[in-house]
Structures are given as C-alpha cells and as structure tokens.
Amino acid sequence: MATRRALRAVLVDLSGTLHVEDSAVLGAQEALKRLRSAPVAVRFVTNTTKECKQDLLERLKKLDFDIREDEIFTSLTAARNLLEEKRVRPLLLVEDSALRDFSGLDTHDPNAVVIGLAPDQFNYEMMNQAFRLILDGAPLIAVHKARYYKRKDGLALGPGPFVTGLEYATDTRANVVGKPERTFFLEALRGTDCAPEEAVMIGDDCRDDVGGAQNAGMLGILVKTGKYRKGDEGKINPSPYLVCESFPHAVDHILRHLL
C-alpha cells in the first residue's frame, strides 16, 4: 500500500452501511453529521442498480440523511459513461426503476449488453437474447458482479451469478464498471482534488468496498452491518485496515485517529 498522507476524503457505501432498504443503520444520521464537521470531503459510492440516482436520493432523504445528489457516484453512472464513450446501443437488463439513469440513449437494435441487478429481467427469454447478442460480438458490460446483498428478509442473489453465467456460456469476460474496479474509486474521487492515499472507504462488502478501495491505494474500513458475515475480513489480502461494528464506530475512529 502506498505511503499514507493526511486524510482528506471519506468514501461511504450506502446500502448495508448507512441503510438496509427503508431502515437506517442505528445512529448513522448523527454520525454523518459528525463526519461532515471534519475537514474532509465526503462522497457516497454505491453499486445499487435497483433504482435510479434520483429515487435513491429520495429514499435517503426520507431517512433524514443530509446528502446531495452531486455527492453520490453510482455504478449506473459509470455504466452510462462507458456506453457513451463506446457509442453503442445497449440491451438494458436493469430494473425499470433504474432506466431513468439511461434516458436519452439509443436502445434500438442493441449491439451491447448491460446487466445490473434485475430480478424481473432474469428470465430465460431475456438471458437468451443477451446470450445471442454476445455471441454475435456485443460487449458484455456488468454494472457490478456482487455475489449477494442484504434485504430485510435476508441475503439475496446479486447480479454476479447471472453475469458469470453469461460469461461461461459465451466464453467471454464482462467489462465490470462498479466496485471493486480501481477506475470506479478514482472516478468517485474526481472533483475532490484528493489522491487515493488521502482517502478512506467505509463499507459492508469486504471484497467490493474494502478490497477494491485498498487495491486503489485507499484505506478500507469494514463494518459489521448489511451483508457482512462472520469471517469476511479474512477473505481479502491485505486485510481491512479496520473492522468496526457499524458506521458510527467507523466515524469515531476517523475523527479520533486519522485527522
């Protein structure tokens, strides 16, 4: 890991770290207020693909989180940026609630496949359409490849198993744009004027949040909320910089030891 510098930015995961669906993590709103009182830039990074950024922001506001839209960087945004860069017409395997983040893109006669978390789209006909497009040369773009995520009723499959199925069937590799990709974390820092060595990431996913951030040069703090399961911290190398019970405990550590 690169030589550390004074902390100037904190990246915070959303689902599982600040909230689980429509319930906030205990004490998270007050902890965020305390973090904002520190001389650091705060950005929110998420692989959530079930809803567009505007809907996500409304959900957070209803939970009394003080967050602005321009502070949120999503994997949907990263996917759209790549589509515009490649100038392709995507078959969008995302939930209807996420389509707003792709408005204005030409989706007629698709020549690319974009796959996010889309339970309503993961049926044989849609997956087979994607399979045939990829066989004909369409790039496969994965918004992310999370294995699972946390819902109120327990853990649930993420898009990763479905992306992997298409990779296996077509003998190709997906272009993954969300966490844990290094480029995702660097894009999230854009506008903060901070280097990765001046940033810390807080999240509940050991691989995608913490491992990805540390591979990009940041510190990673793993919280035991959301999708965390006992022993997760042993799944990456190097190990997390810190493991905390929850987001408020992570904020306490930052304010006491990293500033």
Side-chain angles (χ1 to χ4, degrees):
M1 191 175 295
T3 302
R4 303 309 310 169
R5 304 179 190 172
L7 185 69
R8 298 180 58 205
V10 180
L11 302 186
V12 183
D13 173 55
L14 292 172
S15 179
T17 301
L18 291 188
H19 70 101
V20 174
E21 295 186 339
D22 292 322
S23 298
V25 169
L26 183 64
Q29 297 98 325
E30 181 59 34
L32 179 56
K33 291 178 182 177
R34 289 189 285 114
L35 181 60
R36 286 198 181 281
S37 69
V40 294
V42 181
R43 295 293 183 270
F44 304 91
V45 292
T46 178
N47 271 349
T48 295
T49 63
K50 295 178 295 180
E51 56 194 350
C52 67
K53 183 189 289 188
Q54 188 59 47
D55 289 347
L56 174 61
L57 183 63
E58 289 303 314
R59 180 194 296 269
L60 294 167
K61 285 184 175 179
K62 288 179 181 178
L63 294 175
D64 293 326
F65 284 108
D66 177 21
I67 296 175
R68 302 191 312 269
E69 184 174 358
D70 63 358
E71 294 177 314
I72 302 174
F73 186 69
T74 76
S75 51
L76 291 176
T77 302
R80 182 184 178 116
N81 291 346
L82 182 61
L83 291 171
E84 291 177 338
E85 177 187 321
K86 288 183 173 291
R87 298 182 180 180
V88 291
R89 303 178 303 276
L91 171 69
L92 294 168
L93 294 181
V94 299
E95 290 289 76
D96 289 346
S97 56
L99 288 174
R100 185 172 175 180
D101 283 353
F102 296 96
S103 62
L105 291 179
D106 183 4
T107 57
H108 176 71
D109 188 21
N111 59 359
V113 174
V114 173
I115 182 168
L117 179 60
D120 293 338
Q121 303 282 356
F122 291 154
N123 57 69
Y124 186 84
E125 290 304 319
M126 288 301 298
M127 294 296 285
N128 203 47
Q129 183 181 353
F131 164 71
R132 290 174 175 176
L133 284 171
I134 298 164
L135 281 184
D136 287 339
L140 173 59
I141 299 170
V143 182
H144 63 91
K145 287 182 71 176
R147 294 167 170 81
Y148 51 85
Y149 69 104
K150 180 64 179 295
R151 299 191 314 201
K152 284 183 178 179
D153 61 352
L155 295 177
L157 283 175
F162 302 93
V163 175
T164 301
L166 287 172
E167 289 179 318
Y168 176 75
T170 59
D171 196 23
T172 190
R173 292 287 299 275
N175 186 341
V176 184
V177 297
K179 297 178 287 185
E181 298 303 303
R182 183 175 186 273
T183 52
F184 179 89
F185 290 98
L186 297 182
E187 281 293 309
L189 282 179
R190 182 178 291 186
T192 66
D193 195 31
C194 298
E197 295 77 24
E198 300 169 315
V200 61
M201 171 75 202
I202 306 172
D204 66 317
D205 189 310
C206 194
R207 293 186 181 96
D208 289 356
D209 293 331
V210 177
Q214 293 190 157
N215 288 339
M218 307 177 189
L219 294 177
I221 298 179
L222 179 65
V223 292
K224 296 182 178 181
T225 53
K227 69 189 299 183
Y228 172 85
R229 302 188 76 190
K230 185 177 180 180
D232 278 356
E233 54 269 39
K235 294 178 179 178
I236 61 171
N237 185 24
S239 298
Y241 160 73
L242 184 70
V243 181
C244 289
E245 290 300 316
S246 66
F247 176 69
H249 294 88
V251 170
D252 286 344
H253 178 87
I254 290 170
L255 297 179
R256 293 175 181 174
H257 302 289
L258 295 180
L259 296 176

